[in-house]
Amino acid sequence: MRRKIAYHILLALMFFNVNLICNAQSVNDLEKQVNKLQNEIKTSQNLLKKTSKNKETTIREVELLQAQIKKRDDLIKTYDKQIALLNKETKGYQKDISNLQNELERHRKEYADLLVIHYRNRNSINNLLFIFSSEDFNQAVRRIRYIQQFNDLLKDKMQKIDETKTEIRERIEKNERDKKRIENLNNTQKKERNELNKDKQSLNEKVAKLKKEEKKIKKDIAQKEKETKDLQAKIKKIIEEELARRRADATIDTELAANFESNKGKLPWPVASGVVTKKYGKSAHPTQSKVTVMNNGIDITTEQGANALCVFDGQVSTVFNTGSTNVVMVRHGTYFTLYANLDKVYVKSGDKVKTGEKIGLVHTGATDNVTILHFEVWNDKNNTNPEGWLR
């Protein structure tokens, strides 16, 4: 019966420890996410400081603020998840401490029972006569073995008592650390909420200013749409020409394409640091709620003087000029990556390029002083969300 009870206790402890490891891993994952979001918010804050030096509020400044608000909101939600996991963990520790205390009491009782047995038999156990009074040699050996086993049992029980005490102490300490961590997270989260409210207020003020320039903004939107359509038409034409050439000479680097595909979600960023200020797909204009903007890639706002970096090994497919800036397309088997809004270009068509290699200098706007890289990922004729490819 005792063995059965001990078996169930062992199973319960093992189950708790497995849950504890899983929770610890989740907390660590969330900690990494927090660090990433904090770094991105810091980057956007630095970029906003430089952008806000301009006397006039710009669309780019609004986009940066919107991106920062989204990051802060994500950070607050991540703190919520951390706090929930830590609360769950502390409850688990409290239950574990209770189980260990019960186990400690059981060990102590069993130890006390052994001491009683030892006391009652002290004259025979501690006296050599107990051994020498044996009827034969085999009985003497059995009595010696009994005394040894009894002493070993006492030592083992004492060791278990000490180990259980240590486990209880460790869990109490961890429980206290987690409680302190929850308190710190709550305080940090409160500060982030205050900063979020400040950002939202600042955003509302800037949007209100920009709405006074509605005619100018609509004109800019129309111009941007035309530039975007022209760029996408040129990209599609280049890709079609590439596909036609591949079909003609049957030279497709399938291994490179497979390697590129296997690195989905692991590719480095195409700039050293930055913030995604325009996401992939359809989105509302920052100040014109009724206007929808389509983006075949992502726009990354970065530092002035930043270089576009190749995200994976490949070959430069083409370099072309849009009239004011340059575009570089790199082929990775059946995949293409596109780097647009470049001033200087460091590569030419046909060049082999490596991961992390500098492709060109990202353009900085003369009026708004904002540096933005436009980045796209294509698989043959189909473009995909670049954020899903980046780590």
Side-chain angles (χ1 to χ4, degrees):
M1 184 67 180
R2 281 186 177 182
R3 284 186 179 180
K4 192 174 181 181
I5 293 168
Y7 174 74
H8 286 300
I9 290 171
L10 181 63
L11 274 181
L13 288 171
M14 284 174 67
F15 177 76
F16 175 78
N17 286 332
V18 167
N19 273 343
L20 191 62
I21 291 166
C22 292
N23 283 346
Q25 287 173 341
S26 297
V27 168
N28 289 336
D29 290 341
L30 288 170
E31 193 65 45
K32 287 177 185 176
Q33 193 176 338
V34 164
N35 292 334
K36 184 175 182 289
L37 286 166
Q38 285 175 337
N39 288 333
E40 287 174 348
I41 289 169
K42 188 177 178 181
T43 301
S44 65
Q45 283 176 325
N46 291 334
L47 292 168
L48 270 169
K49 282 178 185 177
K50 294 172 184 177
T51 308
S52 60
K53 287 178 182 178
N54 297 325
K55 292 180 181 179
E56 296 180 3
T57 300
T58 66
I59 296 289
R60 301 305 187 191
E61 193 176 352
V62 169
E63 287 174 345
L64 267 171
L65 254 177
Q66 286 177 329
Q68 183 165 295
I69 286 168
K70 178 67 170 65
K71 295 297 178 188
R72 279 202 199 280
D73 193 48
D74 289 344
L75 183 59
I76 288 166
K77 287 175 183 174
T78 307
Y79 284 141
D80 277 333
K81 289 177 184 176
Q82 280 187 308
I83 291 165
L85 274 173
L86 287 168
N87 276 324
K88 185 180 177 182
E89 195 170 291
T90 54
K91 285 179 183 177
Y93 273 122
Q94 287 161 9
K95 186 178 179 182
D96 193 37
I97 288 165
S98 177
N99 289 337
L100 286 168
Q101 284 172 336
N102 291 336
E103 188 181 345
L104 179 62
E105 286 306 310
R106 183 173 58 80
H107 286 320
R108 281 173 171 166
K109 187 179 181 306
E110 288 174 358
Y111 183 72
D113 291 343
L114 287 170
L115 287 179
V116 169
I117 295 169
H118 180 75
Y119 178 79
R120 286 174 180 170
N121 295 281
R122 64 189 184 282
N123 291 331
S124 57
I125 291 175
N126 294 331
N127 200 322
L128 291 174
L129 289 174
F130 179 64
I131 298 169
F132 291 135
S133 63
S134 303
E135 293 180 3
D136 53 36
F137 178 74
N138 288 335
Q139 189 180 58
V141 170
R142 284 196 298 273
R143 288 184 176 185
I144 291 169
R145 189 176 297 154
Y146 168 77
I147 293 169
Q148 287 174 339
Q149 287 175 343
F150 190 86
N151 288 334
D152 288 343
L153 191 60
L154 280 171
K155 287 178 184 176
D156 180 63
K157 194 53 67 179
M158 196 64 215
Q159 185 179 344
K160 283 181 179 177
I161 289 170
D162 290 338
E163 287 172 354
T164 308
K165 282 181 179 178
T166 302
E167 282 188 62
I168 291 171
R169 187 175 64 254
E170 286 174 353
R171 276 158 176 73
I172 290 171
E173 288 172 357
K174 181 69 169 65
N175 194 37
E176 290 303 313
R177 283 198 300 271
D178 280 355
K179 283 181 179 178
K180 187 67 179 175
R181 196 173 174 189
I182 289 168
E183 185 184 345
N184 291 336
L185 280 169
N186 279 319
N187 292 334
T188 305
Q189 190 183 51
K190 188 177 178 181
K191 289 177 185 176
E192 282 298 331
R193 287 190 191 280
N194 291 335
E195 291 299 321
L196 179 64
N197 290 331
K198 287 179 186 177
D199 285 348
K200 285 180 177 179
Q201 185 179 347
S202 178
L203 177 66
N204 290 336
E205 289 170 1
K206 292 182 188 302
V207 169
K209 283 181 183 179
L210 282 172
K211 280 184 177 178
K212 294 175 183 177
E213 303 175 13
E214 193 168 357
K215 286 183 180 179
K216 182 177 178 295
I217 290 169
K218 284 184 176 179
K219 187 179 176 183
D220 288 342
I221 290 170
Q223 179 63 29
K224 291 286 182 193
E225 282 182 347
K226 183 181 181 303
E227 289 174 2
T228 301
K229 283 179 182 177
D230 290 345
L231 176 60
Q232 293 307 318
K234 199 159 188 175
I235 291 167
K236 285 181 180 178
K237 185 181 177 184
I238 290 166
I239 290 173
E240 283 171 2
E241 288 171 355
E242 283 281 347
L243 293 174
R245 276 199 295 272
R246 282 212 311 252
R247 283 193 293 269
D249 56 21
T251 55
I252 302 173
D253 195 336
T254 53
E255 187 178 348
L256 181 59
N259 287 339
F260 184 88
E261 191 169 344
S262 67
N263 278 276
K264 188 172 184 178
K266 304 173 190 174
L267 298 179
W269 272 50
V271 285
S273 66
V275 178
V276 176
T277 44
K278 270 190 185 175
K279 290 192 170 285
Y280 173 83
K282 290 182 179 179
S283 60
H285 188 272
T287 63
Q288 306 294 312
S289 57
K290 294 181 181 179
V291 177
T292 302
V293 180
M294 182 64 192
N295 195 356
N296 281 342
I298 55 173
D299 289 2
I300 304 172
T301 302
T302 184
E303 298 282 350
Q304 186 173 352
N307 288 301
L309 309 172
C310 186
V311 298
F312 201 74
D313 294 355
Q315 186 175 20
V316 177
S317 171
T318 186
V319 177
F320 63 91
N321 184 273
T322 61
S324 56
T325 58
N326 299 292
V327 178
V328 174
M329 287 182 68
V330 179
R331 182 173 60 248
H332 317 275
T334 57
Y335 287 89
F336 295 89
T337 51
L338 179 139
Y339 313 78
N341 200 37
L342 304 178
D343 275 338
K344 295 178 183 176
V345 174
Y346 310 139
V347 294
K348 62 183 184 300
S349 182
D351 284 354
K352 294 284 181 70
V353 284
K354 293 286 184 183
T355 305
E357 186 174 335
K358 293 176 183 178
I359 288 175
L361 178 69
V362 184
H363 173 74
T364 300
T367 54
D368 57 17
N369 201 38
V370 178
T371 308
I372 296 175
L373 174 73
H374 178 75
F375 177 68
E376 298 182 11
V377 177
W378 290 74
N379 182 11
D380 283 343
K381 294 182 181 180
N382 305 310
N383 70 320
T384 63
N385 187 353
E387 282 194 89
W389 290 86
L390 304 176
R391 59 175 174 241

